[in-house]
Amino acid sequence: MSRMPATAPVQSNTLQILSIVCFSFLGFMSIGIPMAVMPGLIHHELGFTTLVAGLVIGLQYLVTLLVRPFSCRVIDTAGPRQGVLYGLAGCALGGLLMLLATLWLALPLLSLFTLVLSRLVLGLAHSVLGASAIAWGIGQVGSAGTARVISWNGIAGYGAIGLGAPFGVWLVERFGLPCMGAGVLLIALLGLAMAWRKAGVPVVAGERLSFMNVLGRVSPYGLAMALGTLGYGTIAAFITLYYDSRGWAWAEYAMTAFGLSFIAARLLFAKAIDRLGGYRVGIACLLVEGGGLLLLWTAPGPLLAMLGAGLSGFGFSLVFPALGVEAVKSTPASNRGAAIGAYSLFLDLALGVAGPLIGLLIGSHGFRSIFLVCALASFCGLGLTLALQYRSTRQPAAVEAEPAAIEAEPATVEVD
């Protein structure tokens, strides 16, 4: 009986979080559905090089990177609900453009141009969608639930990507290429209708730091996270072509293995960040991810490569929330949206760089080398996280003072 009061609020908070992060799931399906189809569409169907395929795929993340300073201010001023609505509307438009591109395959340049427009629009949408869902969730359950909100939002986002990849392949094989864009469009419209009916949360009032100020505070954590993200970006963009270059089947299920392992790790170790701290969890995860990438590099067959992808997903699972908790602590609550956006900017940077950089690397050294490079990047992120942990132990007073600033929520103004 004595445990009931403590358990019920946790279950209630989890349901509140899930009611918000479901919008991330629906929005990130716009990444997952075309993921296993897009590289082959550009390279095989339209006849462009792997470098062009990498540039088009990475363009979405580059746009997201460039517009982060503006989109995160939408969250802090207009409210996270409004940001989610903007994001889902952009996903719907991106899906429509994707649909049009697949109807013009006989005109490769026009089709490619429309795909580029689709990636641009999706980049704008995702610049605000994920961060808005996180800020909305934190607004629902309070700043003490930051780690759980970020973790569940990641489960929703990467789960959508992992499930969306084979779903996109199934749609295309069963109904044809146009259904890839049509699926994205319909799912985004469903999310938009659901979000429209849901009430918003208060906007936290207080001093608004400049974006550059916030960026400077979170950049060490973001850089460590970005080094670990390079492996995910490479798997997402090139795993299908890597399997094809080796003559292997089941490429789409390698991405599914990544996504399901990612979700499993977050479910199994959901409270690890609260118990062990962001630094320790980040260190362990980057080590596991690096091992998975090394296995992908050395794998002699598709099953071991799939295991390497799964191990990479298991390791990468808590890198973002573990270092994100430490990053959010570095700014006042009134700048929460800016902090999440600035930190996520490094995710965009890693994903934007991964496409063209890895595409060039493939041209000069072949497909296998890309996973060795990503493993080395992951270990560099591990070294940086160790340095940040050491710095935190050398400055205990500053570290202990920061959470207090986060927990003290200023006055709020109702919106939505």
Side-chain angles (χ1 to χ4, degrees):
M1 294 293 292
S2 62
R3 293 184 182 180
M4 289 298 291
T7 303
V10 172
Q11 293 174 338
S12 176
N13 286 349
T14 300
L15 291 176
Q16 290 183 66
I17 293 170
L18 292 176
S19 73
I20 300 300
V21 301
C22 68
F23 301 123
S24 281
F25 179 86
L26 296 173
F28 275 84
M29 286 293 283
S30 63
I31 295 178
I33 288 176
M35 180 165 289
V37 179
M38 188 77 72
L41 168 62
I42 296 172
H43 184 51
H44 297 303
E45 298 290 336
L46 299 180
F48 294 96
T49 65
T50 56
L51 175 59
V52 173
L55 286 170
V56 173
I57 292 168
L59 182 62
Q60 174 182 328
Y61 308 113
L62 179 61
V63 172
T64 301
L65 167 71
L66 293 176
V67 300
R68 281 285 186 193
F70 307 99
S71 63
C72 66
R73 287 304 176 195
V74 171
I75 303 170
D76 287 331
T77 56
R81 173 181 176 272
Q82 199 66 29
V84 167
L85 291 174
Y86 291 154
L88 289 170
C91 290
L93 179 56
L96 176 61
L97 289 168
M98 202 181 304
L99 169 61
L100 293 175
T102 56
L103 296 176
W104 297 332
L105 296 180
L107 302 169
L109 286 176
L110 179 59
S111 180
L112 182 68
F113 177 72
T114 310
L115 285 175
V116 167
L117 288 180
S118 174
R119 303 300 286 181
L120 288 172
V121 172
L122 289 171
L124 291 170
H126 286 281
S127 72
V128 69
L129 179 59
S132 295
I134 292 173
W136 196 350
I138 295 174
Q140 287 271 49
V141 301
S143 56
T146 298
R148 281 187 296 132
V149 173
I150 296 176
S151 292
W152 277 107
N153 192 72
I155 291 174
Y158 292 107
I161 293 171
L163 295 175
F167 179 59
V169 171
W170 179 82
L171 279 177
V172 170
E173 290 179 347
R174 184 71 182 271
F175 302 106
L177 273 170
C179 287
M180 176 179 66
V184 171
L185 172 62
L186 292 175
I187 290 172
L189 289 176
L190 171 63
L192 192 61
M194 292 169 57
W196 193 271
R197 297 168 58 87
K198 191 169 180 62
V201 295
V203 172
V204 180
E207 180 188 4
R208 307 293 182 193
L209 301 176
S210 70
F211 183 78
M212 294 307 296
N213 187 314
V214 175
L215 180 63
R217 296 185 183 208
V218 305
S219 59
Y221 312 97
L223 180 58
M225 179 268 296
L227 288 167
T229 302
L230 188 62
Y232 160 66
T234 300
I235 292 173
F238 292 105
I239 194 68
T240 54
L241 294 179
Y242 174 59
Y243 266 62
D244 184 59
S245 72
R246 304 292 298 273
W248 296 340
W250 311 325
E252 66 271 22
Y253 294 107
M255 197 62 217
T256 301
F258 181 98
L260 293 179
S261 297
F262 181 99
I263 294 171
R266 289 211 171 176
L267 292 175
L268 290 172
F269 303 105
K271 299 180 181 178
I273 298 172
D274 292 332
R275 289 188 285 105
L276 302 176
Y279 293 119
R280 291 181 179 178
V281 173
I283 289 166
C285 287
L286 286 166
L287 183 61
V288 173
E289 182 190 1
L293 291 165
L294 287 177
L295 181 56
L296 264 170
W297 172 52
T298 59
L303 292 180
L304 278 179
M306 196 179 301
L307 177 61
L311 193 59
S312 298
F314 196 89
F316 180 63
S317 62
L318 293 176
V319 172
F320 188 92
L323 297 177
V325 166
E326 302 297 337
V328 171
K329 287 179 181 179
S330 66
T331 63
S334 56
N335 295 270
R336 180 184 294 143
I340 296 169
Y343 176 68
S344 299
L345 184 149
F346 288 89
L347 177 68
D348 308 328
L349 177 63
L351 295 176
V353 166
L357 178 64
I358 299 303
L360 284 172
L361 188 63
I362 291 170
S364 59
H365 293 86
F367 279 95
R368 286 188 62 189
S369 62
I370 63 180
F371 298 110
L372 175 60
V373 170
C374 292
L376 294 175
S378 183
F379 292 136
C380 287
L382 170 62
L384 179 55
T385 306
L386 286 168
L388 290 170
Q389 183 188 41
Y390 177 75
R391 187 185 70 173
S392 72
T393 62
R394 300 281 291 179
Q395 299 173 326
V399 173
E400 291 172 7
E402 287 170 354
I406 296 295
E407 293 296 329
E409 301 282 359
T412 58
V413 179
E414 292 288 341
V415 296
D416 298 330

